[in-house]
Amino acid sequence: MGLIKWQYTPLLSAFLIFLPTSICFAADGFEYLPDESTLGLWHFDGDDIVDISDNKVKGEVEGKAAWDANQDWNKENKAGKSFVFDGNTVISLGEADVLIPKVEITIEAWVYPEDLTGWRLIFTNWDGPPGAYHLGVQNGITKFHINTEKGTAFAGATDALELEQWQHVAGTYDSKQVKLYIDGKEVGSTNHGGKLAGAAGFDVIIGSKNTRQFKWLGLMDEVRISDIAREVDVLSPNLDAPQAVEFSEFTLPTFWGSLRQ
């Protein structure tokens, strides 16, 4: 899909003010495009686990590699596949230092859980001792842990994820707060500070952690890690059009998507 950039002018500003709200509505989400803050982005659309950011971090499947083309998180707008985690499969990204930022971070994914008993992990740099981050679900409750030079902290949801439904989960840290979002809405936050502190020798893992415990059971798609704390309006469930590669206040992708519809 082509992306059109808008020049922000007073006339456009006035138009936005009087734009009928009936045409502004959120979509289920769109396939992300990498930008300058993307450290890793995996679409899970082919036979290789390929990061489409400039870092090109390739995942190695441990266990059975399988893709599902029938249960998409946005069938109307995305014709790709999702990755199947059968409860024994993990994706290792290795000791990828490029995936461990120091100041800010966002981790996000579309998930389709089929079992939520105990811990089920989404994206981690963690072992028994803390690594840098840990996005997972404990007995249905999503939690985002980060570890800094000042210790560990987490933001947790109050409501459980739904089984066998696509949901978007995202955790952010801006060196002041840890925040957790479900389907584009903030569901938890806690104050914390310091630089992220990764641990030498811990792999970055999709669907488990360095010990290969607490493996994800279900589907997963559009996994992205960034070196900024992304704002809620650019999380996938809140986009009405694909995010621009050079995202800024002047590209207005959400406005353009709503206008076209």
Side-chain angles (χ1 to χ4, degrees):
M1 181 184 295
L3 294 173
I4 294 180
K5 295 185 179 181
W6 287 76
Q7 179 66 41
Y8 192 82
T9 66
L11 178 61
L12 178 57
S13 177
F15 180 67
L16 287 173
I17 292 173
F18 293 104
L19 185 68
T21 57
S22 60
I23 69 169
C24 296
F25 52 87
D28 291 338
F30 287 84
E31 190 172 76
Y32 285 118
L33 298 175
D35 59 18
E36 65 276 7
S37 298
T38 304
L39 300 179
L41 171 58
W42 297 269
H43 288 321
F44 296 139
D45 285 341
D47 294 335
D48 292 322
I49 309 300
V50 178
D51 162 28
I52 68 165
S53 80
D54 290 341
N55 292 321
K56 307 300 181 186
V57 180
K58 186 174 180 179
E60 297 294 333
V61 178
E62 299 176 5
K64 179 182 178 181
W67 285 261
D68 188 304
N70 298 316
Q71 298 191 69
D72 227 352
W73 50 265
N74 192 355
K75 290 183 179 180
E76 292 183 358
N77 295 291
K78 176 177 176 293
K81 302 174 183 178
S82 57
F83 192 84
V84 179
F85 291 84
D86 63 6
N88 294 303
T89 303
V90 305
I91 297 173
S92 173
L93 305 174
E95 296 179 38
D97 291 341
V98 70
L99 300 180
I100 304 176
K102 296 299 183 183
V103 181
E104 299 186 0
I105 190 171
T106 300
I107 297 173
E108 52 197 309
W110 282 95
V111 297
Y112 184 96
E114 296 177 351
D115 186 293
L116 289 172
T117 56
W119 274 104
R120 296 290 181 179
L121 301 183
I122 299 169
F123 194 100
T124 73
N125 172 246
W126 213 263
D127 197 275
Y133 47 76
H134 179 287
L135 179 62
V137 187
Q138 183 182 28
N139 294 320
I141 302 299
T142 309
K143 296 180 179 181
F144 179 52
H145 289 74
I146 58 97
N147 180 43
T148 74
E149 58 197 359
K150 297 184 179 181
T152 61
F154 77 92
T158 54
D159 296 328
L161 287 182
E162 299 289 338
L163 285 171
E164 299 182 348
Q165 291 188 28
W166 279 109
Q167 293 137 101
H168 184 267
V169 297
T172 70
Y173 174 64
D174 64 359
S175 292
K176 297 178 182 178
Q177 284 188 312
V178 187
K179 292 185 178 181
L180 179 69
Y181 300 88
I182 304 293
D183 288 335
K185 297 180 180 179
E186 184 179 327
V187 296
S189 67
T190 189
N191 295 330
H192 197 60
K195 293 183 179 180
L196 287 164
F202 290 2
D203 290 341
V204 177
I205 301 288
I206 303 175
S208 185
K209 64 177 183 175
N210 191 60
T211 59
R212 278 49 173 183
Q213 294 174 287
F214 313 126
K215 297 172 182 175
W216 187 256
L217 181 57
L219 310 179
M220 204 179 299
D221 207 353
E222 287 302 289
V223 175
R224 179 168 70 162
I225 178 171
S226 308
D227 64 3
I228 59 171
R230 294 192 182 272
E231 299 293 333
V232 65
D233 59 337
V234 296
L235 297 180
S236 183
N238 296 330
L239 293 180
D240 289 312
Q243 185 178 10
V245 175
E246 298 177 0
F247 184 77
S248 74
E249 61 181 313
F250 303 109
T251 55
L252 295 176
T254 56
F255 163 72
W256 175 240
S258 297
L259 184 61
R260 291 188 65 187
Q261 296 185 60

Coordinates of all heavy atoms in Angstrom, one line a residue, residues 182-259:
I182 N -3.0 -3.6 26.5 CA -3.7 -4.7 25.9 C -4.7 -4.1 24.9 O -5.5 -3.2 25.2 CB -4.5 -5.5 26.9 CG1 -3.6 -6.0 28.0 CG2 -5.2 -6.7 26.2 CD1 -2.5 -7.0 27.6
D183 N -4.6 -4.6 23.6 CA -5.5 -4.1 22.6 C -5.5 -2.6 22.5 O -6.5 -1.9 22.3 CB -6.9 -4.6 22.7 CG -7.0 -6.1 22.4 OD1 -6.1 -6.6 21.6 OD2 -7.9 -6.8 22.9
G184 N -4.3 -2.0 22.6 CA -4.1 -0.5 22.5 C -4.6 0.3 23.6 O -4.7 1.6 23.4
K185 N -4.9 -0.3 24.7 CA -5.3 0.5 25.9 C -4.4 0.2 27.1 O -4.1 -0.9 27.4 CB -6.8 0.1 26.3 CG -7.8 0.5 25.2 CD -9.2 0.1 25.6 CE -10.2 0.5 24.5 NZ -11.6 0.1 24.9
E186 N -4.0 1.3 27.8 CA -3.2 1.1 29.0 C -3.9 0.4 30.1 O -5.0 0.8 30.5 CB -2.7 2.5 29.5 CG -1.7 2.3 30.6 CD -1.2 3.7 31.1 OE1 -1.1 4.6 30.3 OE2 -0.9 3.8 32.3
V187 N -3.3 -0.7 30.6 CA -4.0 -1.5 31.6 C -3.2 -1.6 32.9 O -3.6 -2.2 33.9 CB -4.3 -2.9 31.1 CG1 -5.3 -2.9 30.0 CG2 -3.0 -3.6 30.7
G188 N -2.0 -1.0 32.9 CA -1.1 -1.1 34.1 C 0.1 -0.2 34.0 O 0.6 0.0 32.8
S189 N 0.6 0.3 35.1 CA 1.8 1.1 35.0 C 2.5 1.1 36.4 O 1.8 0.9 37.4 CB 1.6 2.5 34.6 OG 0.8 3.3 35.5
T190 N 3.8 1.4 36.5 CA 4.5 1.5 37.7 C 5.7 2.4 37.5 O 6.3 2.4 36.4 CB 4.9 0.2 38.3 OG1 5.4 0.3 39.6 CG2 6.0 -0.5 37.4
N191 N 6.0 3.2 38.5 CA 7.2 4.1 38.4 C 8.5 3.3 38.6 O 8.6 2.5 39.4 CB 7.1 5.2 39.4 CG 5.9 6.2 39.2 OD1 5.5 6.3 38.0 ND2 5.4 6.7 40.2
H192 N 9.5 3.7 37.8 CA 10.8 3.0 37.9 C 11.8 3.9 37.1 O 11.4 4.7 36.3 CB 10.7 1.6 37.4 CG 11.9 0.8 37.8 ND1 12.2 0.5 39.1 CD2 12.9 0.1 37.1 CE1 13.2 -0.3 39.2 NE2 13.7 -0.5 38.0
G193 N 13.1 3.7 37.4 CA 14.1 4.4 36.7 C 15.4 3.6 36.5 O 15.5 2.4 36.9
G194 N 16.3 4.2 35.8 CA 17.6 3.6 35.6 C 17.7 3.0 34.2 O 16.8 2.9 33.4
K195 N 19.0 2.7 33.8 CA 19.2 2.1 32.5 C 19.0 0.6 32.5 O 19.2 -0.1 33.5 CB 20.7 2.3 32.1 CG 21.0 3.8 31.8 CD 22.4 4.0 31.3 CE 22.8 5.4 31.0 NZ 24.2 5.6 30.6
L196 N 18.5 0.1 31.4 CA 18.2 -1.4 31.3 C 19.5 -2.1 31.5 O 20.6 -1.7 31.0 CB 17.6 -1.7 30.0 CG 16.1 -1.3 29.8 CD1 15.7 -1.3 28.3 CD2 15.2 -2.2 30.6
A197 N 19.4 -3.2 32.2 CA 20.6 -4.0 32.5 C 20.4 -5.5 32.0 O 19.8 -6.3 32.7 CB 20.8 -4.0 34.0
G198 N 21.0 -5.7 30.9 CA 21.0 -7.1 30.4 C 22.0 -8.0 31.0 O 22.9 -7.5 31.7
A199 N 21.9 -9.3 30.9 CA 22.8 -10.2 31.5 C 23.6 -10.9 30.4 O 23.0 -11.4 29.4 CB 22.1 -11.2 32.4
A200 N 24.9 -11.0 30.5 CA 25.8 -11.6 29.5 C 25.4 -13.1 29.5 O 25.2 -13.8 30.5 CB 27.2 -11.4 29.9
G201 N 25.3 -13.6 28.3 CA 25.0 -15.1 28.1 C 23.6 -15.5 28.0 O 23.3 -16.6 27.8
F202 N 22.7 -14.5 28.2 CA 21.2 -14.8 28.1 C 20.8 -14.6 26.7 O 21.0 -13.5 26.1 CB 20.4 -13.9 29.0 CG 20.6 -14.2 30.5 CD1 21.4 -15.2 31.0 CD2 19.8 -13.5 31.4 CE1 21.6 -15.4 32.3 CE2 20.0 -13.8 32.8 CZ 20.8 -14.7 33.2
D203 N 20.1 -15.6 26.1 CA 19.5 -15.4 24.8 C 18.3 -14.6 24.8 O 17.6 -14.5 25.9 CB 19.1 -16.8 24.2 CG 20.3 -17.6 23.8 OD1 21.4 -17.1 23.6 OD2 20.2 -18.9 23.7
V204 N 18.0 -13.9 23.7 CA 16.7 -13.3 23.6 C 15.8 -14.3 22.9 O 16.2 -14.9 21.9 CB 16.8 -12.0 22.7 CG1 15.4 -11.4 22.4 CG2 17.7 -11.0 23.3
I205 N 14.6 -14.5 23.5 CA 13.8 -15.6 23.1 C 12.4 -15.2 22.8 O 11.8 -14.4 23.6 CB 13.7 -16.7 24.2 CG1 15.1 -17.2 24.6 CG2 12.8 -17.9 23.8 CD1 15.7 -18.1 23.5
I206 N 11.8 -15.7 21.7 CA 10.4 -15.5 21.5 C 9.7 -16.8 21.9 O 10.0 -17.9 21.4 CB 10.1 -15.2 20.0 CG1 10.8 -14.0 19.5 CG2 8.6 -15.0 19.8 CD1 10.7 -13.7 18.0
G207 N 8.7 -16.7 22.8 CA 8.0 -17.9 23.2 C 8.5 -18.6 24.4 O 8.0 -19.7 24.7
S208 N 9.5 -18.1 25.1 CA 10.1 -18.8 26.2 C 11.1 -17.8 26.9 O 11.0 -16.6 26.7 CB 10.7 -20.1 25.9 OG 11.2 -20.8 27.0
K209 N 12.0 -18.4 27.7 CA 13.1 -17.6 28.2 C 14.4 -18.4 28.1 O 14.4 -19.5 27.5 CB 12.9 -17.2 29.6 CG 12.8 -18.3 30.7 CD 12.6 -17.7 32.1 CE 12.6 -18.7 33.1 NZ 12.5 -18.1 34.5
N210 N 15.5 -17.9 28.6 CA 16.8 -18.5 28.3 C 16.9 -20.0 28.8 O 17.6 -20.8 28.3 CB 17.9 -17.7 29.0 CG 19.3 -18.1 28.6 OD1 19.7 -18.1 27.4 ND2 20.1 -18.6 29.6
T211 N 16.1 -20.3 29.9 CA 16.1 -21.6 30.4 C 15.2 -22.6 29.6 O 15.1 -23.7 29.9 CB 15.6 -21.6 31.9 OG1 14.3 -21.0 31.9 CG2 16.5 -20.9 32.8
R212 N 14.5 -22.0 28.6 CA 13.5 -22.7 27.8 C 12.4 -23.3 28.6 O 11.8 -24.3 28.3 CB 14.2 -23.9 27.0 CG 14.9 -23.5 25.7 CD 15.8 -22.3 25.8 NE 16.5 -22.1 24.5 CZ 17.5 -21.2 24.3 NH1 17.8 -20.4 25.3 NH2 18.1 -21.1 23.2
Q213 N 11.9 -22.5 29.6 CA 10.8 -22.8 30.4 C 9.6 -22.0 30.0 O 9.7 -21.0 29.3 CB 11.1 -22.6 31.9 CG 12.1 -23.5 32.5 CD 12.4 -23.1 33.9 OE1 13.1 -22.1 34.1 NE2 11.9 -23.9 34.9
F214 N 8.4 -22.4 30.4 CA 7.2 -21.6 30.3 C 6.9 -21.2 28.9 O 6.6 -20.1 28.5 CB 7.2 -20.4 31.2 CG 7.7 -20.6 32.6 CD1 8.8 -19.9 33.1 CD2 7.1 -21.6 33.4 CE1 9.2 -20.2 34.4 CE2 7.5 -21.9 34.7 CZ 8.6 -21.1 35.2
K215 N 6.9 -22.2 28.0 CA 6.7 -22.0 26.6 C 5.3 -21.6 26.2 O 4.3 -22.1 26.7 CB 7.2 -23.2 25.8 CG 8.6 -23.6 26.0 CD 9.0 -24.9 25.4 CE 10.5 -25.3 25.8 NZ 10.8 -26.7 25.3
W216 N 5.3 -20.7 25.2 CA 4.0 -20.2 24.7 C 3.2 -21.4 24.0 O 3.9 -22.2 23.3 CB 4.2 -19.1 23.7 CG 2.9 -18.4 23.2 CD1 2.3 -18.6 22.1 CD2 2.1 -17.6 24.0 NE1 1.1 -17.8 22.0 CE2 1.0 -17.2 23.2 CE3 2.2 -17.0 25.3 CZ2 0.0 -16.3 23.7 CZ3 1.2 -16.2 25.8 CH2 0.1 -15.8 25.0
L217 N 1.9 -21.4 24.1 CA 1.1 -22.4 23.5 C 0.0 -21.6 22.8 O -0.9 -21.0 23.4 CB 0.5 -23.4 24.5 CG -0.4 -24.5 23.9 CD1 0.3 -25.3 22.8 CD2 -0.9 -25.4 25.0
G218 N 0.0 -21.6 21.4 CA -0.9 -20.8 20.6 C -0.2 -20.2 19.5 O 0.9 -20.7 19.0
L219 N -0.7 -19.1 18.9 CA -0.2 -18.4 17.8 C 0.4 -17.1 18.2 O 0.1 -16.6 19.2 CB -1.3 -18.2 16.7 CG -2.1 -19.4 16.3 CD1 -3.1 -19.0 15.3 CD2 -1.2 -20.5 15.8
M220 N 1.3 -16.6 17.3 CA 1.9 -15.3 17.6 C 2.2 -14.6 16.2 O 2.5 -15.3 15.3 CB 3.2 -15.4 18.4 CG 3.6 -14.2 19.2 SD 5.1 -14.4 20.2 CE 4.6 -15.7 21.3
D221 N 2.1 -13.3 16.2 CA 2.4 -12.6 15.0 C 2.9 -11.2 15.3 O 2.7 -10.7 16.4 CB 1.1 -12.5 14.1 CG 1.4 -12.4 12.6 OD1 2.6 -12.2 12.3 OD2 0.5 -12.5 11.8
E222 N 3.5 -10.5 14.3 CA 3.9 -9.1 14.3 C 4.7 -8.8 15.6 O 4.3 -7.9 16.4 CB 2.7 -8.2 14.2 CG 2.2 -8.2 12.8 CD 3.2 -7.7 11.8 OE1 3.6 -6.5 11.8 OE2 3.6 -8.5 11.0
V223 N 5.7 -9.5 15.9 CA 6.6 -9.3 17.1 C 7.5 -8.1 16.8 O 8.3 -8.2 15.8 CB 7.3 -10.5 17.5 CG1 8.2 -10.2 18.7 CG2 6.3 -11.6 17.9
R224 N 7.5 -7.1 17.6 CA 8.4 -6.0 17.4 C 9.1 -5.5 18.7 O 8.4 -5.4 19.7 CB 7.7 -4.8 16.7 CG 8.6 -3.6 16.5 CD 7.9 -2.5 15.6 NE 6.8 -1.8 16.2 CZ 6.3 -0.7 15.7 NH1 6.8 -0.1 14.6 NH2 5.3 -0.1 16.3
I225 N 10.3 -5.2 18.6 CA 11.0 -4.5 19.7 C 11.7 -3.2 19.2 O 12.2 -3.2 18.1 CB 12.1 -5.5 20.3 CG1 12.9 -4.8 21.5 CG2 13.1 -6.0 19.3 CD1 13.8 -5.7 22.3
S226 N 11.5 -2.2 20.0 CA 12.0 -0.9 19.6 C 12.8 -0.2 20.8 O 12.7 -0.6 21.9 CB 10.8 0.0 19.3 OG 9.9 -0.6 18.4
D227 N 13.7 0.7 20.4 CA 14.5 1.4 21.4 C 13.9 2.7 21.9 O 14.6 3.6 22.3 CB 15.9 1.6 20.9 CG 16.0 2.5 19.6 OD1 14.9 3.1 19.2 OD2 17.1 2.7 19.1
I228 N 12.6 2.9 21.7 CA 11.9 4.0 22.3 C 10.6 3.5 23.0 O 10.2 2.3 22.8 CB 11.4 5.0 21.2 CG1 10.5 4.3 20.2 CG2 12.6 5.7 20.6 CD1 9.8 5.3 19.2
A229 N 10.1 4.3 23.9 CA 8.8 3.9 24.5 C 7.7 4.5 23.6 O 7.4 5.7 23.6 CB 8.7 4.5 25.9
R230 N 7.1 3.6 22.8 CA 6.1 4.1 21.8 C 4.9 4.6 22.4 O 4.4 4.1 23.5 CB 5.8 3.0 20.8 CG 7.0 2.6 19.9 CD 6.7 1.7 18.8 NE 7.8 1.3 18.0 CZ 8.4 2.1 17.0 NH1 7.8 3.2 16.6 NH2 9.4 1.6 16.3
E231 N 4.3 5.6 21.8 CA 3.0 6.2 22.3 C 1.9 5.3 21.9 O 2.0 4.5 20.9 CB 2.8 7.6 21.7 CG 3.9 8.6 22.0 CD 3.8 8.9 23.5 OE1 2.8 8.8 24.2 OE2 4.9 9.3 24.1
V232 N 0.8 5.4 22.6 CA -0.3 4.5 22.4 C -0.9 4.6 21.0 O -1.4 3.6 20.4 CB -1.4 4.7 23.5 CG1 -2.0 6.1 23.3 CG2 -2.5 3.6 23.4
D233 N -0.9 5.7 20.4 CA -1.5 5.9 19.1 C -0.8 5.2 17.9 O -1.4 5.0 16.9 CB -1.7 7.4 18.7 CG -0.4 8.1 18.7 OD1 0.6 7.7 19.3 OD2 -0.4 9.2 18.0
V234 N 0.4 4.7 18.1 CA 1.1 4.0 17.1 C 1.2 2.5 17.4 O 1.9 1.8 16.7 CB 2.5 4.6 16.8 CG1 2.4 6.0 16.2 CG2 3.4 4.5 18.0
L235 N 0.5 2.0 18.4 CA 0.3 0.6 18.6 C -0.7 0.1 17.6 O -1.6 0.7 17.3 CB -0.1 0.3 20.0 CG 0.9 0.8 21.1 CD1 0.3 0.4 22.5 CD2 2.2 0.1 21.0
S236 N -0.4 -1.2 17.2 CA -1.2 -1.7 16.0 C -2.7 -1.6 16.1 O -3.3 -1.2 15.1 CB -0.8 -3.2 15.9 OG -1.4 -3.8 14.7
P237 N -3.3 -1.9 17.2 CA -4.8 -1.8 17.3 C -5.3 -0.4 17.1 O -6.5 -0.2 16.8 CB -5.2 -2.3 18.7 CG -4.0 -3.1 19.1 CD -2.8 -2.4 18.5
N238 N -4.5 0.6 17.2 CA -4.9 2.0 17.1 C -4.5 2.6 15.8 O -4.8 3.8 15.5 CB -4.3 2.9 18.2 CG -4.8 2.4 19.6 OD1 -5.9 1.9 19.7 ND2 -4.0 2.5 20.6
L239 N -4.0 1.9 14.9 CA -3.6 2.4 13.5 C -4.8 2.1 12.6 O -5.3 1.1 12.5 CB -2.4 1.7 13.0 CG -1.1 1.9 13.7 CD1 0.1 1.2 13.1 CD2 -0.7 3.4 13.8
D240 N -5.1 3.2 11.8 CA -6.0 3.0 10.7 C -5.4 2.9 9.3 O -6.0 2.9 8.3 CB -7.0 4.2 10.7 CG -7.9 4.2 11.9 OD1 -8.5 3.1 12.1 OD2 -8.1 5.2 12.6
A241 N -4.1 2.9 9.3 CA -3.3 2.7 8.1 C -1.9 2.2 8.5 O -1.5 2.4 9.7 CB -3.2 3.9 7.3
P242 N -1.2 1.5 7.7 CA 0.2 1.1 8.0 C 1.0 2.3 8.5 O 0.9 3.4 7.9 CB 0.7 0.5 6.7 CG -0.5 0.1 6.0 CD -1.5 1.1 6.3
Q243 N 1.8 2.1 9.5 CA 2.7 3.2 10.0 C 3.7 3.5 9.0 O 4.3 2.7 8.3 CB 3.4 2.7 11.3 CG 4.2 3.8 12.0 CD 4.8 3.2 13.3 OE1 4.8 2.0 13.5 NE2 5.4 4.1 14.0
A244 N 4.0 4.8 8.8 CA 4.9 5.3 7.9 C 6.3 4.9 8.3 O 6.6 4.9 9.5 CB 4.8 6.8 7.7
V245 N 7.2 4.7 7.4 CA 8.6 4.3 7.7 C 9.3 5.5 8.4 O 9.9 5.3 9.4 CB 9.4 4.0 6.4 CG1 10.9 3.7 6.7 CG2 8.8 2.7 5.7
E246 N 9.1 6.7 7.9 CA 9.7 7.9 8.6 C 8.6 8.5 9.4 O 8.1 9.6 9.0 CB 10.3 8.8 7.6 CG 11.4 8.2 6.8 CD 11.9 9.2 5.7 OE1 11.4 10.3 5.6 OE2 12.8 8.8 5.0
F247 N 8.2 7.9 10.5 CA 7.0 8.4 11.2 C 7.3 9.7 11.9 O 8.3 9.8 12.6 CB 6.6 7.3 12.2 CG 5.4 7.7 13.0 CD1 4.1 7.6 12.4 CD2 5.4 8.2 14.3 CE1 3.0 7.9 13.0 CE2 4.3 8.6 14.9 CZ 3.0 8.4 14.3
S248 N 6.4 10.6 11.7 CA 6.5 11.9 12.5 C 5.1 12.5 12.5 O 4.2 11.9 11.9 CB 7.5 12.8 11.7 OG 6.8 13.3 10.6
E249 N 5.0 13.6 13.2 CA 3.7 14.2 13.3 C 3.2 14.7 12.0 O 2.0 15.0 11.8 CB 3.8 15.4 14.3 CG 4.7 16.5 13.8 CD 4.8 17.6 14.8 OE1 3.8 18.1 15.3 OE2 5.9 18.1 15.2
F250 N 4.1 14.8 11.0 CA 3.7 15.4 9.7 C 3.1 14.3 8.7 O 2.6 14.6 7.7 CB 4.8 16.1 9.0 CG 5.4 17.2 9.9 CD1 6.6 17.1 10.5 CD2 4.6 18.4 10.1 CE1 7.1 18.1 11.3 CE2 5.1 19.4 11.0 CZ 6.3 19.3 11.6
T251 N 3.4 13.0 9.0 CA 2.9 12.0 8.1 C 1.4 11.7 8.3 O 0.8 11.2 7.3 CB 3.7 10.7 8.3 OG1 3.7 10.3 9.6 CG2 5.2 10.9 7.9
L252 N 0.9 11.8 9.5 CA -0.5 11.6 9.8 C -1.1 10.3 9.2 O -2.1 10.3 8.5 CB -1.3 12.8 9.2 CG -1.0 14.2 9.9 CD1 -1.8 15.2 9.2 CD2 -1.3 14.1 11.4
P253 N -0.5 9.2 9.4 CA -1.0 7.9 8.8 C -2.4 7.6 9.3 O -3.2 7.0 8.5 CB 0.0 6.9 9.2 CG 0.7 7.4 10.4 CD 0.7 8.9 10.3
T254 N -2.7 7.8 10.6 CA -4.0 7.4 11.1 C -5.1 8.3 10.4 O -6.1 7.8 10.1 CB -4.0 7.5 12.6 OG1 -3.7 8.9 13.0 CG2 -3.0 6.6 13.2
F255 N -4.8 9.5 10.3 CA -5.8 10.4 9.6 C -6.0 10.0 8.2 O -7.2 9.9 7.7 CB -5.3 11.9 9.6 CG -6.0 12.7 8.7 CD1 -7.4 13.1 8.9 CD2 -5.5 13.2 7.5 CE1 -8.0 13.9 8.0 CE2 -6.1 13.9 6.6 CZ -7.4 14.3 6.8
W256 N -5.0 9.7 7.4 CA -5.1 9.3 6.1 C -5.9 8.0 5.9 O -6.8 7.9 5.1 CB -3.8 9.2 5.4 CG -3.8 8.6 4.0 CD1 -3.2 7.5 3.5 CD2 -4.5 9.2 2.9 NE1 -3.5 7.4 2.2 CE2 -4.3 8.4 1.8 CE3 -5.3 10.4 2.7 CZ2 -4.8 8.7 0.5 CZ3 -5.8 10.6 1.5 CH2 -5.6 9.8 0.4
G257 N -5.6 7.0 6.8 CA -6.4 5.8 6.8 C -7.9 6.0 7.0 O -8.7 5.4 6.3
S258 N -8.2 6.8 8.0 CA -9.6 7.1 8.3 C -10.3 7.8 7.1 O -11.4 7.5 6.8 CB -9.7 7.9 9.6 OG -9.2 7.2 10.7
L259 N -9.6 8.8 6.5 CA -10.1 9.6 5.4 C -10.5 8.7 4.2 O -11.5 8.8 3.6 CB -9.2 10.7 5.0 CG -9.7 11.7 4.0 CD1 -10.9 12.4 4.4 CD2 -8.6 12.6 3.6

